[in-house]
Amino acid sequence: MTSLLHTCEPPSLRLRSSLHRHSRLGGRTATPSHLSRPPRSRRPAAARVAMTTASDELGKGIAEFYDKSSGLWESIWGDHMHHGFYDAGAPATITGHRAAQIQMVEEALRFAAVSDDPLKKPKRIVDVGCGIGGSSRYLAKKYGAKCEGITLSPVQVKRAHALATAEGLEDQVSFQVADALKQPFPDGQFDLVWSMESGEHMPDKTKFVGELARVAAPGATIIIVTWCHRDLSPSEESLQPNELNLLNKICNAYYLPAWCSASDYVKIAQSLSLEDIKTADWSENVAPFWPAVIRSALTWQGFTSLLRSGWKTIRGALAMPFMIEGYNKKLIKFAIIACRKPT
């Protein structure tokens, strides 16, 4: 999970004001709440100022969260700051988790049918929500490609550069502090657009996917791996109050805006005329992840490192049981969405 959060309400208000209004997506006429809001330019000036203030506060908070927690994560789990993909019966040890993280990358590439053919493989890649550059370096080495990573955390950028230099990849990968909703790249720049567990931080999912599509070259593959909530049934207009309450606890710990479902992403991709859209629920394949993270926090190294990391990281650790509860109740879904920009 990596830091790219902007234009959102304060943590305590996010779900009550935004997710509670979330419309049913299973019907023929319903649209997500974030698609039905009035354009920003038509909002009263006071409301725009308040949103900007909340955006600044939240962006600062999430950058600080990853500034403080990234070193702890790397010392225990390595440089891939995301879930692992576990085969049935695979052990959830720290060593096994690091292998599972690599498998997550490979499974995502396989799902999206990214070619290994020298004539078709990606040559320019963007890693949106790059963390300390684990995916960026892996993809650059796998494909011999140039990769650019963006994150809100200056600490992550500095560490990503150091790791790239240590691996002799400084000419292939680069990193910068930047906003995923206003990416500092020209149109049509990349033939693989990669977002591994950053979509959950995006308050405006339409703008997020729109930016991914904008920087994608014609024919480029777009891969989004992200946390979602369950799809709503045809009879539901919103999630249940107890479900909203659980997600709100997670949002408060991890600086997340309102959640959406995988169906949201599909509808957004369709609205942008993206092609070959497909999605899958990998919740069962990541089930061992959070229990393993909790066990690592209970080791002496994990416990002492957690205390040194400060309150924001400790609060995140205390919210881990809520993630397990969400998965167990089938409320939280770990989804992949893949699509292609038309040629």
Side-chain angles (χ1 to χ4, degrees), residues 7 40 47-57:
T7 319
R40 183 181 302 273
R48 292 197 299 272
V49 171
M51 290 183 67
T52 300
T53 302
S55 171
D56 293 342
E57 174 192 343

Side-chain angles (χ1 to χ4, degrees), residues 58-90:
L58 200 53
K60 181 175 181 290
I62 200 165
E64 290 176 351
F65 176 79
Y66 286 103
D67 283 349
K68 296 293 185 181
S69 64
S70 294
L72 168 62
W73 178 272
E74 182 187 2
S75 69
I76 298 175
W77 292 96
D79 61 340
H80 285 269
M81 301 184 68
H82 56 77
H83 284 69
F85 187 100
Y86 298 86
D87 293 321

